[in-house]
Amino acid sequence: MRPSISIARSVHRVARRSYSSASVPERKVAVLGAAGGIGQPLALLMKLNPLVSHLSLYDIAGTPGVAADVSHINTRSEVKGYAGEEQLAQALEGADVVIIPAGVPRKPGMTRDDLFNINAGIVKGLTTAIAKYCPNALINMISNPVNSTVPIAAEVLKKAGKYDEKRLFGVTTLDVVRAKTFYAGKANANVAEVNVPVVGGHAGITILPLFSQATPTANLPHDVIKALTKRTQDGGTEVVEAKAGKGSATLSMAYAGAIFADACLKGLNGVPDVVECSFVQSSITELPFFASKVRLGKNGVEEVLGLGNLSDFEQEGLQSLIPELKSSIEKGIKFANQS
Ligand code: NAI
């Protein structure tokens, strides 16, 4: 090897090492809606994630400040802020994971579906840009109503010839986070050891926690399971009401979003057996999209896992959620194809 080339290579290696550990691949994560209630704490949590090498913070306004603030934290990733549509391309280029908490949140008395008219358009615009500038990225959709925004994104990507069902995820992790917390309280279990799958969708009765599969097992009486199910389904509304007009869950959502993005990054990096619940294209029920446990891998979804055994109560819940979830999915598809 010629000395000059060898020196150049070692300089490059040293530069790389000072910036990232050689065994951890470079990964760019973009947060769209990064100046918002979820976006800011999510930006903070992603800055703390050592799997991220480049953190791209995009919003229609306010991101230079958030980016400057977060960039001073002495962790691996390089942070850049992008504001306004003219900077969206740069924000997205080369992204491995795009997290979307852009849009308006609920106020008391609103359902997630009430957000449809505004957020559907925002998601459509952002997904169109993803199809153009980073079509291979894993999309983590947080914007509500997730039951409709994921089908909208799928249709937009299909129209652009860029749809890969393995790369599109509705983030339902907050439902799992809540189910774990509420179950641990009733089961008197260490919350860090609790697991509860949550399937279906991400709104009201479409959220179906499977407490019959919760671990560690606790044999809770039926009325407690019923109450836990209702509290998990209404968890978002509990926060909306407590915030009394100042929005919906932001901090717990940022935590949940960071957990899910971390799982996606681990999957991309080849870590085995990464399993999270997510709302994805699915054939485990009659519906084209459904949340269930998903194994994540180098290309996104590696396997959509089945529902497992359901109790009679969960079976009833499954039957009742199907019509509502079906209509939310169809509403999204219709919107994407109409406008
Ligand atoms: P927020 O209003 O505090 O922040 C939203 C941000 O999106 C704002 O900074 C706004 O400027 C930005 N934004 C609007 N249009 C945009 C565009 N075209 N491109 C980029 N950014 C844009 O709202 P918050 O509380 O952060 O909630 C965001 C979304 O997340 C809402 O749709 C909410 O319903 C949803 N959400 C989802 C949850 C889930 O479990 N999946 C849980 C909680 C909220």
Side-chain angles (χ1 to χ4, degrees), residues 117-240:
N117 290 337
I118 301 174
N119 290 354
I122 292 174
V123 163
K124 189 174 175 226
L126 293 174
T127 314
T128 304
I130 291 169
K132 204 164 164 190
Y133 300 113
C134 56
N136 292 324
L138 304 190
I139 302 175
N140 292 188
M141 185 69 71
I142 292 176
S143 309
N144 269 319
V146 166
N147 292 354
S148 304
T149 52
V150 169
I152 290 172
E155 290 303 302
V156 169
L157 291 162
K158 276 181 204 165
K159 277 195 188 161
K162 304 287 183 194
Y163 182 54
D164 176 353
E165 74 274 12
K166 294 186 167 63
R167 295 176 183 272
L168 177 61
F169 301 88
V171 180
T172 57
T173 320
L174 183 53
D175 303 320
V176 177
V177 163
R178 287 178 176 142
K180 285 179 176 178
T181 304
F182 302 156
Y183 178 84
K186 292 289 178 197
N188 211 6
N190 175 355
V191 71
E193 287 165 14
V194 166
N195 265 308
V196 185
V198 181
V199 303
H202 174 68
I205 62 155
T206 71
I207 300 168
L208 183 62
L210 303 181
F211 288 112
S212 70
Q213 297 174 20
T215 54
T217 51
N219 293 318
L220 296 172
H222 181 62
D223 61 325
V224 174
I225 295 290
K226 239 174 116 176
L228 279 174
T229 302
K230 177 102 176 74
R231 190 167 178 211
T232 305
Q233 291 171 336
D234 294 346
T237 306
E238 198 179 295
V239 178
V240 168

Side-chain angles (χ1 to χ4, degrees), residues 32-33 35-39 58-60 101-106 115 119 122 126 142-144 146 171 174 202 248-250 253:
L32 312 184
I38 296 168
Y58 173 80
D59 205 303
I60 45 178
V104 289
R106 284 192 290 160
L115 304 172
N119 290 354
I122 292 174
L126 293 174
I142 292 176
S143 309
N144 269 319
V146 166
V171 180
L174 183 53
H202 174 68
S248 57
T250 53
M253 181 58 239

Side-chain angles (χ1 to χ4, degrees), residues 17 47 86 128 142 152 171 189 225 268 298 304:
R17 216 174 296 134
K47 175 66 176 144
E86 59 290 352
T128 304
I142 292 176
I152 290 172
V171 180
I225 295 290
L268 286 177
K298 290 188 174 174
V304 178

